[in-house]
Amino acid sequence: MNFRDELQNIISGTGQSAAGNLIQAAANYLRESQKTSESTKTVKFTKDEEAAKLIQWINANDLWIKHVDESRFLARGAEQRVYLDSDVRFVIKLNDSVFYLSWVDYFVSLQIHNLFFPSTNYQLTGFYLENEVLHAVVRQPYIEITEPTNIDLIKEFLISNGFQLKKNNDYFNTDLRLILEDLHDENVLTNNGTLFFIDTVFYLMQST
């Protein structure tokens, strides 16, 4: 299967990424729930309604993470908190999907990341509820920083792979119908001259 086919399978919900099985399962559950809702003439889920459906699925599959070790806290961003895993080759990230209009969009973004950047693939390990806010808990390889990231090298890499600069650190690819945002030097790390994309925000271009 070629890259474009894999990307289309992710978008349509038929992909079989080994690293993304639970991610895909969560997205497909929400898709199927929406189809059922539409068949009864209910309007598209709000994000809160989507989260409520997702919580039913989490309960049914015993996917709750019940404890977070705050002593292993590393960093906080707008959308997530980062912890060092007990296996120090990895980090754990708690993400509330605030950058996305829906949880499905978040899960699709994770799968697209895994397709583009397998060296920093996300593994969905469960979910965490804090102050009634749902968080996905993902595991990702820990990347040691050996030198500052050169923003120009990110631009050069992405342009060479078919992306165009939109503004600041945001890119788009009209051929693949993808938007890739927020690629500043804290989201792309450098280890011995190699760029590692650790935090990506993929969106699908809207059809015109």
Side-chain angles (χ1 to χ4, degrees), residues 36-130:
T36 301
S37 174
E38 290 171 351
S39 70
T40 59
K41 308 301 182 183
T42 303
V43 297
K44 188 174 180 64
F45 290 151
T46 66
K47 193 172 182 182
D48 286 344
E49 290 169 336
E50 192 184 37
K53 281 288 183 182
L54 190 56
I55 286 171
Q56 293 177 9
W57 181 76
I58 295 165
N59 286 332
N61 291 278
D62 193 23
L63 294 173
W64 288 116
I65 303 295
K66 296 180 176 60
H67 173 71
V68 175
D69 186 351
E70 293 295 336
S71 70
R72 306 188 75 83
F73 175 79
L74 294 177
R76 178 190 295 270
E79 82 288 8
Q80 66 186 4
R81 301 201 304 271
V82 184
Y83 299 82
L84 186 65
D85 191 17
S86 55
D87 180 343
V88 297
R89 297 173 300 168
F90 298 90
V91 293
I92 298 296
K93 296 181 176 181
L94 274 62
N95 195 305
D96 63 4
S97 79
V98 69
F99 284 172
Y100 300 89
L101 293 177
S102 74
W103 275 98
V104 170
D105 290 345
Y106 169 70
F107 294 134
V108 168
S109 180
L110 292 184
Q111 291 181 89
I112 295 174
H113 173 98
N114 289 349
L115 178 61
F116 274 86
F117 308 114
S119 62
T120 56
N121 73 283
Y122 289 108
Q123 178 189 7
L124 179 62
T125 63
F127 296 85
Y128 184 67
L129 195 63
E130 181 179 61

Side-chain angles (χ1 to χ4, degrees), residues 85 103 106 134 143 161 173 190 202:
D85 191 17
W103 275 98
Y106 169 70
L134 183 64
I143 304 300
N161 283 278
N173 185 314
T190 303
F202 280 100

Side-chain angles (χ1 to χ4, degrees), residues 189-201:
L189 307 182
T190 303
N191 178 282
N192 294 320
T194 299
L195 296 175
F196 288 89
F197 291 71
I198 62 162
D199 285 319
T200 58
V201 180

